[in-house]
Amino acid sequence: MKANTVFDCSIIDVSKITSKAGNLTVAENNMNMPFNVKRIYYLYDVPSGEARGGHAHYELEQYIIAASGSFDVVLDDGINRRRISLNRPNLALHIVPGLWRELDNFSSGSISMVLASHLYDEKDYIRDYQEFLVYKR
Ligand code: TYD
């Protein structure tokens, strides 16, 4: 976790079942997911100009999906930074543990859906950037 870098994260094309009546995307444990999902949460009604995130996790692995609209995810491993734009509901950004992340540039009406490998645990968060840098050293 400690040694993970922003280059260990990738965008996965989950799946898309298309029809003239619209599209459907499926994520299934042990099928097209690299971890078992224990929790789903989503961010919505984010006011224009606001940022979310601003923390790292010791163990938590996540998939972030722009279920609607678009936003950017900024990943930081203490050395490298990557800004990744998400804007398609069938694309999932796999975020490995041990990275600082921020979400910004939310479009109006956007929904950020997060599939997470663990239940919520405040002890798994690093919320101070200097503390994060010390952890990564
Ligand atoms: P936080 O993870 O800091 O949100 P973000 O990274 O999107 O800015 O969580 C915001 C608040 O919600 C914080 O008080 C913790 C709480 N929370 C839960 O109770 N359960 C959860 O699953 C999540 C993700 C957050």
Side-chain angles (χ1 to χ4, degrees):
M1 324 297 171
K2 214 169 139 70
N4 281 344
T5 78
V6 297
F7 304 110
D8 295 315
C9 297
S10 52
I11 291 184
I12 295 162
D13 195 338
V14 183
S15 70
K16 187 156 87 172
I17 299 165
T18 58
S19 84
K20 63 179 181 346
N23 301 327
L24 186 151
T25 286
V26 188
E28 264 178 302
N29 281 340
N30 304 317
M31 295 286 283
N32 55 353
M33 302 285 295
F35 57 84
N36 278 338
V37 177
K38 292 223 179 96
R39 176 169 55 113
I40 298 173
Y41 63 91
Y42 36 99
L43 296 168
Y44 52 97
D45 291 347
V46 179
S48 158
E50 280 293 343
R52 303 285 312 212
H55 61 252
H57 289 283
Y58 293 108
E59 300 287 341
L60 190 77
E61 230 174 309
Q62 291 164 309
Y63 255 157
I64 301 193
I65 296 167
S68 182
S70 63
F71 53 85
D72 292 353
V73 182
V74 181
L75 299 172
D76 180 333
D77 57 26
I79 295 171
N80 312 289
R81 281 170 83 90
R82 274 176 83 188
R83 175 175 287 274
I84 296 161
S85 292
L86 291 176
N87 57 10
R88 301 293 308 161
N90 61 308
L91 298 182
L93 173 63
H94 180 209
I95 303 187
V96 295
L99 300 181
W100 191 265
R101 90 288 313 278
E102 270 168 31
L103 279 67
D104 63 14
N105 211 11
F106 287 88
S107 70
S108 169
S110 60
I111 300 175
S112 164
M113 185 166 70
V114 182
L115 313 184
S117 62
H118 292 76
L119 301 181
Y120 173 72
D121 178 7
E122 187 58 37
K123 291 192 294 299
D124 189 58
Y125 281 75
I126 309 173
R127 292 195 182 271
D128 180 88
Y129 189 68
Q130 292 310 316
E131 206 180 300
F132 169 71
L133 292 180
V134 170
Y135 167 70
K136 292 298 272 185
R137 226 179 277 143

